[in-house]
Amino acid sequence: SQTIHQWPATLVQPVGSPLSLECTVEGTSNPNLYWYRQAAGRGLQLLFYSVGIGQISSEVPQNLSASRPQDRQFILSSKKLLLSDSGFYLCAWSRRAGELFFGEGSRLTVL
Amino acid sequence: AQTVTQSQPEMSVQEAETVTLSCTYDTSENNYYLFWYKQPPSRQMILVIRQEAYKQQNATENRFSVNFQKAAKSFSLKISDSQLGDTAMYFCAFMKHGSGNTGKLIFGQGTTLQVKP
């Protein structure tokens, strides 16, 4: 069976510090991978998606970047965090159209 | 651009009762998918139900069913025989049909559902 894991689950970082959130998928090959952000009291916003190694599409201009160094690994990064980067970040993969499988989420607080 | 609107920020229902969550969307597309996702307090979001726009028949999954009104661009979720474990935030989502859009969902703001004993 397929599983998805992301870490860390919780992160508190000062403004200006770097960020690295990691997501891995097991039990499937060549999945589409996604990073979503969920701000408090709001819906999910797609940040990045990837259809293959090294292929990253950005949906919104921002302070974040994504990379896919391996088939089942997806990383969300920032060189210098802003206060507005605080939120709940969800990694997901898809099998068929629109059927997303989400990770447990990573809560980022930027102080 | 497509938008998804959930006009009910919070709802509550007694255990074993039925509740309906509303969702409307705006699109010029003819082929698309609609979804309801559930995010319980544990935070891991899961798919509840999926509807393909070209299918007139409403999707059902056990106690969950939808009322899909394509002309009205409405996609409500009905939960029958509500259980305490149904307590969660529910998100309505839209996705255009096409290989270039696999998994790129547009989510509504969410409805928090509280099932009371």
Side-chain angles (χ1 to χ4, degrees):
Chain A
S1 63
Q2 299 86 12
T3 57
I4 179 169
H5 299 288
Q6 60 178 109
W7 68 92
T10 305
L11 196 59
V12 180
Q13 292 285 97
V15 169
S17 64
L19 171 73
S20 181
L21 300 179
E22 190 164 340
C23 172
T24 59
V25 180
E26 297 177 359
T28 187
S29 60
N30 196 32
N32 285 357
L33 296 172
Y34 309 85
W35 278 110
Y36 280 87
R37 177 167 58 198
Q38 184 178 18
R42 299 175 64 180
L44 280 72
Q45 180 184 38
L46 178 64
L47 301 177
F48 301 96
Y49 73 96
S50 172
V51 298
I53 296 174
Q55 300 178 61
I56 308 295
S57 296
S58 175
E59 289 296 298
V60 293
Q62 59 205 315
N63 186 44
L64 303 169
S65 62
S67 61
R68 186 169 177 175
Q70 300 181 41
D71 181 45
R72 289 169 290 179
Q73 183 185 29
F74 204 25
I75 298 171
L76 183 69
S77 305
S78 174
K79 293 181 179 178
K80 291 185 177 181
L81 284 169
L82 306 172
L83 288 174
S84 57
D85 292 325
S86 293
F88 191 64
Y89 291 85
L90 289 160
C91 180
W93 71 278
S94 65
R95 178 170 60 191
R96 61 171 177 165
E99 188 170 347
L100 298 183
F101 296 87
F102 286 88
E104 307 93 332
S106 299
R107 176 159 303 285
L108 171 65
T109 302
V110 182
L111 302 176
Chain B
Q2 292 79 26
T3 58
V4 177
T5 302
Q6 294 177 248
S7 58
Q8 306 153 314
E10 297 180 354
M11 294 190 70
S12 64
V13 63
Q14 292 295 130
E15 195 175 7
E17 298 290 308
T18 296
V19 64
T20 299
L21 308 183
S22 300
C23 173
T24 58
Y25 59 95
D26 187 25
T27 184
S28 58
E29 301 288 328
N30 190 47
N31 294 322
Y32 49 88
Y33 303 92
L34 295 164
F35 309 87
W36 279 98
Y37 278 85
K38 167 185 177 180
Q39 187 179 38
S42 67
R43 286 289 192 170
Q44 190 153 19
M45 190 172 299
I46 57 174
L47 178 65
V48 175
I49 201 163
R50 178 178 187 267
Q51 175 81 41
E52 297 172 26
Y54 69 87
K55 291 185 177 179
Q56 293 187 343
Q57 186 174 7
N58 290 323
T60 63
E61 286 289 341
N62 302 313
R63 297 182 294 106
F64 298 87
S65 62
V66 298
N67 182 6
F68 174 45
Q69 301 290 327
K70 190 173 184 179
K73 297 180 181 176
S74 170
F75 184 61
S76 60
L77 174 70
K78 185 172 81 171
I79 306 174
S80 304
D81 186 26
S82 297
Q83 300 176 1
L84 296 178
D86 295 332
T87 292
M89 180 170 279
Y90 288 81
F91 292 94
C92 179
F94 169 98
M95 192 190 79
K96 289 196 300 184
H97 185 272
S99 59
N101 290 285
T102 303
K104 289 173 59 177
L105 299 178
I106 298 170
F107 285 85
Q109 308 92 319
T111 297
T112 300
L113 176 67
Q114 177 79 39
V115 180
K116 299 179 178 179

